């Protein structure tokens, strides 16, 4: 059970897609552990550099580099703030493009809970309105749940 390929993707053979692949380009921005954990903490509400460094458990240099990359990619934005008597500093907030990564992060969390359970207890993701479990899912724009083998990825669609 796999997705279906159509158009030039179906005809490409064993040729590497490289930068022509949206998955590859996305991983160039968010495809390392630190970037994803920084985004997780941004989704959880952390905005300040020191907070992000502590919560992710990386060095300031690594966090600084990854945050710079996420800002350059338009996933996070820097906003100035100033505590009384202190110099102006910056906090990191999700942009609209960053918020679009919520289903990706939720899918990773959902997969980890199912396949790599934490023996000390699990995380639950629920809908505040009704309490039901929230899941990442494949759904078409018309609202139909879609099975993996019903997905068609077409490689020659004009914009």
């Amino acid at each position: 059970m796999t997705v279906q390929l159509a158009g030039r993707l179906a005809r490409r053979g064993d040729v590497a897609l490289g930068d022509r692949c949206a998955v590859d380009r996305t991983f160039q921005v968010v495809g390392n552990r630190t970037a994803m954990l920084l985004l997780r903490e941004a989704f959880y509400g952390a905005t300040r550099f020191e907070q992000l460094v502590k919560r992710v458990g990386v060095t300031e240099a690594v966090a600084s580099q990854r945050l710079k990359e996420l800002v350059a990619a338009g996933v996070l934005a820097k906003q100035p703030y100033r505590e009384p008597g202190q110099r102006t500093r910056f906090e990191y907030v999700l942009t609209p493009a960053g918020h679009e990564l919520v289903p990706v992060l939720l899918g990773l969390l959902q997969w980890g809970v199912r396949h790599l359970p934490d023996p000390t207890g699990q995380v639950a993701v629920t809908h505040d309105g009704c309490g039901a479990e929230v899941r990442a899912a494949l759904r078409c724009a018309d609202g139909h749940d879609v099975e993996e083998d019903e997905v068609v990825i077409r490689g020659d669609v004009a914009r």
Side-chain angles (χ1 to χ4, degrees), residues 42 45-52 67 71 76-83 88-95:
T47 59
R48 300 205 173 163
F49 181 79
E50 300 79 21
Q51 208 179 17
L52 292 164
L67 289 166
V71 168
L76 292 175
K78 286 173 67 172
Q79 291 184 342
Y81 74 93
R82 186 176 177 158
E83 298 284 343
T88 299
R89 303 188 80 177
F90 293 91
E91 59 185 4
Y92 296 87
V93 296
L94 291 162
T95 64

Side-chain angles (χ1 to χ4, degrees), residues 14-58:
D14 292 332
V15 176
L17 294 173
D19 285 348
R20 294 176 306 180
C21 173
V23 174
D24 189 322
R25 291 190 308 275
T26 302
F27 266 95
Q28 289 176 34
V29 174
V30 298
N32 66 58
R33 178 181 174 274
T34 302
M36 288 304 295
L37 295 178
L38 288 165
L39 288 172
R40 176 198 67 194
E41 292 306 326
F43 292 131
Y44 289 176
T47 59
R48 300 205 173 163
F49 181 79
E50 300 79 21
Q51 208 179 17
L52 292 164
V53 168
K54 287 178 185 174
R55 288 182 174 195
V56 172
V58 294

Side-chain angles (χ1 to χ4, degrees), residues 93-149:
V93 296
L94 291 162
T95 64
H99 282 286
E100 288 183 28
L101 287 167
V102 168
V104 174
L105 190 74
L106 198 58
L108 290 171
L109 187 150
Q110 179 180 315
W111 189 90
V113 165
R114 174 175 277 169
H115 298 286
L116 304 169
D118 181 349
T120 64
Q122 290 298 335
V123 172
V125 181
T126 59
H127 179 201
D128 186 42
C130 72
E133 179 185 6
V134 172
R135 296 186 298 256
L138 294 175
R139 187 166 292 124
C140 75
D142 284 341
H144 306 114
D145 286 340
V146 179
E147 294 298 322
E148 180 181 332
D149 60 353

